[in-house]
Amino acid sequence: MMYFSVDFLTPTHQFEGKEKPISKGRMSVAELRQRLKHALEITQTASEVAMAHFRRPLDIETKSDESPVTIADKATESAIREGLLHHYPHDAIFGEEFGKTGIAEDMWIIDPIDGTRSFITGLPLFGMLLGYVVQGVPEMGIIRMPALNEVYAGGHDIPSTCNGNAIKTSTCTSLSAARLFINEGDKLAQRETAVFNRLIAAGNLRRMAADCYPHALVASGHADAVVDFDLQPYDYLPVSAVVEAAGGMMTDWQGNRLTMESDGRTLTAATPHLHADLLEIVNG
């Protein structure tokens, strides 16, 4: 498979002052389903790239935000970009490793390996995220778990599925009864200590976790809520499309819809009543 190099990609700033980004507006369900079909095929191919590097020796670099990156992250994103540009050569793309290319306001958004720390330690709970954002709103998303052979997908007027089977969130309406995931607990303990202390005493069952899989488990009804922290748009926008298409809610800590400008603190809940409980606990 041929990969794009960083040098091939055209940075967005080259277009500043020359053309105004455009939006296609909301597309038909048929067109969105076609895009989802292509996206599933593209991520399936890209998952083979990721798995070719999994549990093998890797050189690890450290990015400016102190997060790790490997050749697997870069090669996987390149494979996804190659597939997207084959089907949609004029679309904008925003990815974790290579940034934004193209000038359209509507864009594909990629996290090639969500959970690089899991990946480099051999933990099979890393994911692959791909979404399509229209006028700032995620219209569809994919959560693929390459090492688990699971793929979650859904979007606007496209009910969520796992491996092609329909899924939906639970009916849990109270935090006291909830199966709660606390993501990025180490960061929360250091930077949101009061919130962390309230969370570790909340819920009927608590698990410390990270990355996208807990959100997929809420979408499929196996868990009820996730409190997450310090995320980027490529971490939460594809995931939110899947969660919402399964009947759940995913917002920031103030209850606002997630956008490219959100601050990276998110709440995922199976039901509105449970979401209200989460808002109360994180806001004291």
Side-chain angles (χ1 to χ4, degrees):
M1 178 175 290
M2 179 176 63
Y3 303 127
F4 293 125
S5 69
V6 178
D7 292 336
F8 175 86
L9 301 173
T10 306
T12 307
H13 65 73
Q14 291 187 12
F15 296 98
E16 289 178 357
K18 296 182 181 180
E19 293 186 53
K20 182 179 179 181
I22 58 173
S23 172
K24 300 182 182 73
R26 175 157 282 178
M27 60 187 62
S28 69
V29 175
E31 184 178 358
L32 196 60
R33 284 185 180 277
Q34 183 66 21
R35 283 178 174 260
L36 182 57
K37 176 178 179 292
H38 287 150
L40 287 166
E41 294 168 351
I42 290 164
T43 55
Q44 175 59 49
T45 299
S47 71
E48 297 168 9
V49 176
M51 290 304 294
H53 295 280
F54 185 52
R55 293 181 176 171
R56 288 176 169 78
L58 290 169
D59 291 329
I60 302 168
E61 303 172 22
T62 301
K63 295 190 286 190
S64 59
D65 64 357
E66 298 187 354
S67 64
V69 63
T70 72
I71 187 175
D73 299 86
K74 295 175 181 179
T76 302
E77 181 169 323
S78 293
I80 295 171
R81 285 177 176 269
E82 181 179 3
L84 292 174
L85 290 173
H86 173 74
H87 289 289
Y88 306 103
H90 304 296
D91 281 10
I93 301 173
F94 175 52
E96 178 175 9
E97 305 308 332
F98 298 133
K100 185 179 177 185
T101 60
I103 63 171
E105 178 185 350
D106 305 338
M107 71 184 82
W108 295 94
I109 188 163
I110 307 168
D111 189 344
I113 295 181
D114 182 62
T116 300
R117 290 180 175 86
S118 293
F119 188 90
I120 62 181
T121 55
L123 187 68
L125 300 182
F126 65 92
M128 176 186 300
L129 305 178
L130 179 61
Y132 189 67
V133 177
V134 176
Q135 297 179 345
V137 177
E139 287 288 276
M140 70 172 196
I142 292 172
I143 306 169
R144 187 176 285 278
M145 306 298 296
L148 302 182
N149 292 315
E150 295 178 1
V151 59
Y152 301 79
H156 181 73
D157 288 334
I158 303 176
S160 290
T161 60
C162 174
N163 292 351
N165 299 310
I167 57 173
K168 61 180 180 179
T169 57
S170 76
T171 59
C172 180
T173 57
S174 89
L175 184 55
S176 62
R179 297 161 292 180
L180 170 66
F181 276 101
I182 304 168
N183 272 13
E184 305 294 344
D186 54 340
K187 296 178 183 178
L188 277 169
Q190 292 178 3
R191 292 155 59 182
E192 295 281 358
T193 306
V195 175
F196 179 77
N197 288 338
R198 291 195 294 271
L199 288 172
I200 59 175
N204 181 54
L205 183 154
R206 292 166 301 282
R207 297 289 294 171
M208 297 292 176
D211 310 318
C212 59
Y213 198 45
H215 301 276
L217 294 175
V218 171
S220 54
H222 297 295
D224 305 307
V226 185
V227 177
D228 218 329
F229 185 76
D230 197 30
L231 303 183
Q232 297 296 325
Y234 41 73
D235 296 316
Y236 56 75
L237 289 178
V239 168
S240 68
V242 177
V243 169
E244 291 172 5
M249 296 182 67
M250 189 170 180
T251 72
D252 67 13
W253 282 17
Q254 287 71 50
N256 301 313
R257 176 182 285 276
L258 295 172
T259 70
M260 292 287 291
E261 290 73 39
S262 297
D263 66 9
R265 301 181 300 172
T266 68
L267 302 175
T268 295
T271 63
H273 285 96
L274 179 54
H275 180 260
D277 282 359
L278 292 178
L279 283 172
E280 183 176 347
I281 198 167
V282 298
N283 290 297

